[in-house]
Amino acid sequence: FLDSFPLKAVMAVPLRWGPRPLGAIVLHDTADDREFTNDDAMQLSRFADFASLVVVHSQRERLQEAVISGSIDAIVAVDKKGQIVEFNPRAEKLLGYTLEEALHLGKGGVIRFYADGITKARQIADRLQHEPITDMSLELVNRQKVNISVLFSGVQQGNGSVGFFRDIREIIQRKLLEGLLESLKAAITTPDRFDALQTLVEKVAHELGSKSVILYLYDREHNQFGVPPICVGVDNRQALSGPVRPDSLIAKVLSRSAPLIIENTAIASQTQDSRFTKREGVAALVAWPLIVGDMSVGVMVSNFGEPRMLENLEQPLEIFGKMAAVVVANLLHVDRIQREKLLL
């Protein structure tokens, strides 16, 4: 370092916070007659102590900002007048307001987020005066006037409070995705590859609570869905003995490259496979593609015996489908004996 620069005198002191090193301050001089004294070192050390405080405070602010911005929870902080002072990206997505809009809602602006209005806001504020709140069921209303069920946790902080909101729909979706990913683990750890496919379908049926789940495998050699499907019911028994293949449904799913949800097959115009739905007693279904790159591996169809709301399935199945496609593709790279077993 000294050889690289025409320095005649150098003095350095560390920046520390307890045992943790933060950096260093280096003074240097190019004058031939400059000599740093012990008093200089003492003054610089005192300055370093103050500089360490500034660095730690800056790091904490950046850390706090990163935690708030990157949180999977919606975070809203308000002062004692109900004026919003912090509104993270998840809150923007959940409630439909931008940060700038939320900050300019004015005194008591947070009240408009509660479906019960000022009554619920006062109840929460009064309770936070005495204790933190954890996982309180709460109804919010977003900018589009749509009610959202959330779990609320809050804590008093200084003259205001900080609230954490978790969308119950997302909690359900995360738990479902965790269960679906467990089905992939079960398939991967099954020695026999054909049994692994059977295990995968059984586990998916169990996680979705389906009447049946059918895996239509793509026969790449003949460029068609020619391989007999693997199908099971929730009680882990073979549920269907040769289901009708819903070709138009499969075509729709592959063209979308995303899950297709039909919550009531009796009134849905999306499906023309009435023979399939009537024969198998399907009142609702969700189907999703298994695609790796530009290669179709198959399609999975989950059938329900009665109409039901299925909107919470779309995002988990989209994520699961991409991972399942890779697993199924690997399982289909079988030797001749295994391939014959699939085609029997």
Side-chain angles (χ1 to χ4, degrees):
F1 176 77
L2 292 175
D3 290 340
S4 302
F5 299 95
L7 305 179
K8 303 299 182 181
V10 176
M11 179 172 60
V13 295
L15 299 179
R16 291 184 176 276
W17 186 253
R20 182 161 65 100
L22 301 173
I25 295 179
V26 179
L27 291 184
H28 52 81
D29 204 315
T30 58
D32 291 331
D33 57 350
R34 179 59 190 264
E35 292 183 6
F36 289 115
T37 65
N38 288 334
D39 287 339
D40 293 330
M42 185 66 69
Q43 291 293 335
L44 187 60
S45 295
R46 288 172 181 166
F47 175 77
D49 291 338
F50 288 106
S52 297
L53 287 172
V54 173
V55 171
V56 167
H57 181 69
S58 175
Q59 289 181 344
R60 284 177 175 171
E61 284 188 338
R62 288 200 299 271
L63 177 61
Q64 182 182 28
E65 182 179 346
V67 169
I68 291 174
S69 297
S71 175
I72 62 173
D73 295 340
I75 299 177
V76 181
V78 299
D79 61 19
K80 61 182 179 180
K81 296 180 181 179
Q83 171 79 47
I84 296 171
V85 295
E86 186 64 63
F87 200 77
N88 76 337
R90 290 296 298 171
E92 293 185 39
K93 181 178 179 180
L94 180 69
L95 295 167
Y97 293 85
T98 66
L99 170 62
E100 291 74 17
E101 290 169 338
L103 295 178
H104 288 88
L105 288 177
K107 178 182 176 181
V110 72
I111 293 173
R112 71 175 61 199
F113 300 147
Y114 296 109
D116 295 335
I118 193 170
T119 302
K120 180 60 70 175
R122 283 175 175 169
Q123 289 175 353
I124 291 175
D126 291 343
R127 183 172 168 183
L128 286 176
Q129 294 283 345
H130 303 93
E131 62 180 359
I133 297 175
T134 303
D135 288 346
M136 172 194 285
S137 295
L138 195 63
E139 287 290 318
L140 300 183
V141 59
N142 65 12
R143 187 169 191 166
Q144 289 72 40
K145 306 302 180 185
V146 176
N147 280 28
I148 306 167
S149 297
V150 300
L151 291 181
F152 168 77
S153 298
V155 63
Q156 193 73 18
Q157 189 175 70
N159 291 325
S161 60
V162 180
F164 302 83
F165 304 88
R166 286 185 292 160
D167 191 336
I168 290 179
R169 292 172 302 178
E170 293 188 358
I171 296 173
I172 294 172
Q173 290 172 351
R174 283 200 293 268
K175 288 183 177 179
L176 174 60
L177 181 58
E178 289 172 4
L180 290 171
L181 295 182
E182 286 297 321
S183 70
L184 291 181
K185 291 182 182 179
I188 292 171
T189 55
T190 301
D192 183 274
R193 295 183 179 186
F194 178 79
D195 290 343
L197 291 172
Q198 190 82 13
T199 297
L200 174 64
V201 176
E202 289 175 357
K203 295 289 186 181
V204 170
H206 175 75
E207 291 298 332
L208 297 181
S210 309
K211 175 184 177 181
S212 64
V213 168
I214 309 172
L215 170 59
Y216 296 97
L217 296 170
Y218 191 72
D219 182 356
R220 280 173 288 170
E221 184 176 348
H222 298 93
N223 195 32
Q224 63 180 0
F225 282 83
V227 181
I230 298 173
C231 43
V232 297
V234 291
D235 56 359
N236 291 341
R237 291 184 297 105
Q238 189 79 8
L240 308 173
S241 58
V244 177
R245 189 173 68 238
D247 290 326
S248 63
L249 177 68
I250 289 174
K252 286 186 179 71
V253 174
L254 292 176
S255 65
R256 288 165 52 92
S257 298
L260 173 65
I261 292 174
I262 302 177
E263 297 181 333
N264 189 340
T265 58
I267 61 175
S269 60
Q270 301 106 305
T271 177
Q272 301 168 10
D273 297 294
S274 57
R275 182 164 163 256
F276 166 77
T277 56
K278 288 179 180 178
R279 174 178 166 177
E280 311 303 339
V282 177
L285 64 85
V286 57
W288 61 100
L290 304 180
I291 299 175
V292 179
D294 58 355
M295 179 181 69
S296 297
V297 178
V299 169
M300 294 190 81
V301 182
S302 176
N303 305 309
F304 302 89
E306 57 187 21
R308 64 168 64 187
M309 298 291 291
L310 300 173
E311 61 179 7
N312 286 333
L313 299 184
E314 183 170 4
Q315 186 175 12
L317 288 178
E318 185 170 359
I319 298 171
F320 169 73
K322 293 175 182 178
M323 302 180 72
V326 177
V327 172
V328 173
N330 288 332
L331 291 174
L332 291 178
H333 285 289
V334 294
D335 56 28
R336 183 176 59 83
I337 296 175
Q338 289 283 31
R339 194 158 49 244
E340 288 175 354
K341 187 175 180 180
L342 280 172
L343 293 170
L344 285 176

